[in-house]
Amino acid sequence: MSYKLFIPGPIAVSEKTLRAMGQPMIGHRSTDFVDLYNSLQPDLQTLMGTKDPVYLSTSSAWGAMEGSLRNVVQKKVLTCMNGAFSDKWNDVALRDDKQATALTFEWGQPVDPDAVRRELAKGGYDAITIIHNETSCGCMSDLVALMKVVREFPEVISIIDTVSSFSAMPIPKDELGIDVFITGSQKALAMPPGLSLLSVSKRALDRAAQTSGRGYYFDFVEFQKNHENGMTPSTPTISHIYALQSKLEDIRAEGIPARHARHARLNKMVRDHVLAKGFKMFPKDGYGSITLNCFANTLNYDLGALNKTLKSKHQLVIDGGYGKLKGKTFRISNMGDETGATMAAMLNSFDAALAETPKAAV
Ligand SMILES: *Cc1c(COP(=O)(O)O)cnc(C)c1O
């Protein structure tokens, strides 16, 4: 049975993208591959707002997220935590035997720039991790304000996860001074999972060259050396790279500003519709994500039953709450290739399914 994903990743992948993935293999050391790799750089650099190379990592985002810690942290990393993914990043740092200090906020609260400044001012830090858009609770922090603070501490390398916001809004890497910019394929890029993109500043690359224990697979120095020859360190997921080529064509055809505006418009469309039914937003006012909405289940519907109906009668699924928020929140994605028409159809289904959903037992 096939059904459409409105969970915040993985999301629906277009026929065009799937067809692109089905192209015949080429050798990853062939001139065909070098041409393909090099041809993607200008569009990727434009989307990221950077002059630095964009490395292609055959891994989900976590590979690059863990690898970045191993490349740049020599002393201590400040891990900003306000949801499931950012909480886990602290755990990953500790598993890598890195010194990591947790700067924690309630799920749904943004990372507070003043708190970051107070903590970094204590000294001893050489890196910071921030998740721009905490997908688990639909909370988007103010990256412009945060990076302004981080730039006050030149010894601190910034590692920024834009996994679920990349390509849905401007995130100008060089202008903001982001050192390590990480994103994944299965969120707003609307590709299957398995590829991550990574852009690293010169100073982060210099730091990596001086850092021991960075391993091989995610070694920035290896990525850079291979990049200079239009290649990746090991055999990449060539099918995903074809998909990326196809997606970049789509983005060029739509235009980046139009793509950003579409995400903002569809996001507001879902928010207005669901709030009008009497639900409330889960994240703090003004810090809702642009690629999904996380609603508090204030009307106490049985979200499991709702999703069952959506799947069986309407061939779509939403998310019924991440981790400890299961049953308490629900999330609806508006990222990727959605349009006014597809989101309107989705909301019609939502209304119909909700009308036959019981309230949860209290
Ligand atoms: C999905 C997601 C990740 C994890 O990506 P994987 O593909 O599972 O490695 C990390 N950060 C954010 C913000 C995400 O939304």
Side-chain angles (χ1 to χ4, degrees):
M1 185 187 133
S2 99
Y3 50 89
K4 185 168 175 180
L5 295 178
F6 284 92
I7 61 172
I11 60 162
V13 178
S14 72
E15 286 295 328
K16 175 175 180 280
T17 301
L18 290 173
R19 269 199 312 276
M21 291 191 83
Q23 295 174 81
M25 282 303 111
I26 49 177
H28 67 295
R29 302 299 182 212
S30 69
T31 53
D32 290 332
F33 182 82
V34 171
D35 290 347
L36 172 62
Y37 180 99
N38 287 333
S39 75
L40 306 179
Q41 290 294 319
D43 282 334
L44 289 174
Q45 287 172 315
T46 301
L47 272 175
M48 287 191 185
T50 189
K51 291 196 165 63
D52 295 322
V54 179
Y55 308 140
L56 308 183
S57 171
T58 295
S59 67
S60 77
W62 271 115
M65 290 163 74
E66 174 168 16
S68 296
L69 296 168
R70 298 180 62 178
N71 272 274
V72 307
V73 181
Q74 295 175 5
K75 295 178 188 158
K76 189 165 65 158
V77 58
L78 182 64
T79 55
C80 302
M81 296 153 66
N82 64 334
F85 292 104
S86 45
D87 286 4
K88 184 165 156 182
W89 218 348
N90 176 266
D91 178 51
V92 169
L94 298 174
R95 291 188 197 203
D96 278 308
D97 280 340
K98 297 295 182 186
Q99 276 210 57
T101 298
L103 184 63
T104 57
F105 306 90
E106 290 288 313
W107 285 26
Q109 297 298 307
V111 177
D112 173 19
D114 292 327
V116 169
R117 180 185 288 108
R118 277 195 301 275
E119 192 54 42
L120 289 180
K122 291 179 184 169
Y125 292 102
D126 61 359
I128 184 171
T129 60
I130 300 173
I131 292 194
H132 175 216
N133 191 53
E134 242 305 349
T135 320
S136 60
C137 50
C139 182
M140 196 160 77
S141 291
D142 181 349
L143 197 55
V144 174
L146 286 165
M147 285 308 304
K148 189 162 179 285
V149 168
V150 175
R151 287 197 306 271
E152 294 168 17
F153 302 88
E155 66 287 4
V156 174
I157 297 285
S158 52
I159 311 173
I160 310 298
D161 166 325
T162 69
V163 174
S164 63
S165 51
F166 178 66
S167 87
M169 62 184 288
I171 310 173
K173 172 175 167 285
D174 292 354
E175 188 187 318
L176 296 181
I178 295 171
D179 289 301
V180 183
F181 187 116
I182 300 167
T183 196
S185 58
Q186 79 273 28
K187 306 283 166 81
L189 284 176
M191 290 161 52
L195 179 72
S196 62
L197 308 174
L198 169 74
S199 182
V200 176
S201 70
K202 174 74 170 58
R203 61 190 216 116
L205 199 58
D206 290 345
R207 170 76 65 81
Q210 306 295 325
T211 305
S212 63
R214 59 186 193 273
Y216 164 71
Y217 198 71
F218 297 105
D219 179 3
F220 291 174
V221 179
E222 284 289 342
F223 271 116
Q224 177 60 27
K225 206 168 72 191
N226 281 274
H227 168 83
E228 287 166 14
N229 296 317
M231 294 182 205
T232 54
S234 49
T235 317
T237 175
I238 292 168
S239 307
H240 278 90
I241 297 173
Y242 283 138
L244 181 60
Q245 180 184 41
S246 164
K247 181 51 62 181
L248 291 172
E249 263 166 37
D250 299 347
I251 293 174
R252 225 181 302 127
E254 181 178 18
I256 295 174
R259 178 180 176 83
H260 292 165
R262 175 169 58 83
H263 279 87
R265 190 170 68 245
L266 299 181
N267 184 256
K268 181 174 186 307
M269 176 180 171
V270 175
R271 179 160 57 244
D272 290 350
H273 182 96
V274 176
L275 291 184
K277 302 186 94 61
F279 291 104
K280 298 272 185 287
M281 292 306 293
F282 180 77
K284 182 177 177 176
D285 236 16
Y287 293 91
S289 159
I290 196 165
T291 51
L292 67 138
N293 280 284
C294 181
F295 298 101
N297 184 17
T298 43
L299 302 179
N300 203 32
Y301 279 95
D302 179 339
L303 298 178
L306 171 64
N307 237 347
K308 227 177 239 170
T309 307
L310 283 171
K311 189 172 174 183
S312 62
K313 294 195 177 165
H314 303 276
Q315 290 75 52
L316 66 91
V317 290
I318 63 170
D319 172 83
Y322 193 106
K324 67 185 183 188
L325 296 178
K326 191 174 163 69
K328 299 192 176 105
T329 64
F330 59 96
R331 299 180 299 164
I332 302 176
S333 164
N334 60 271
M335 63 182 99
D337 302 329
E338 301 307 330
T339 65
T342 62
M343 287 317 297
M346 186 274 152
L347 292 171
N348 270 335
S349 298
F350 178 80
D351 289 353
L354 196 67
E356 58 177 279
T357 300
K359 302 277 174 105
V362 253

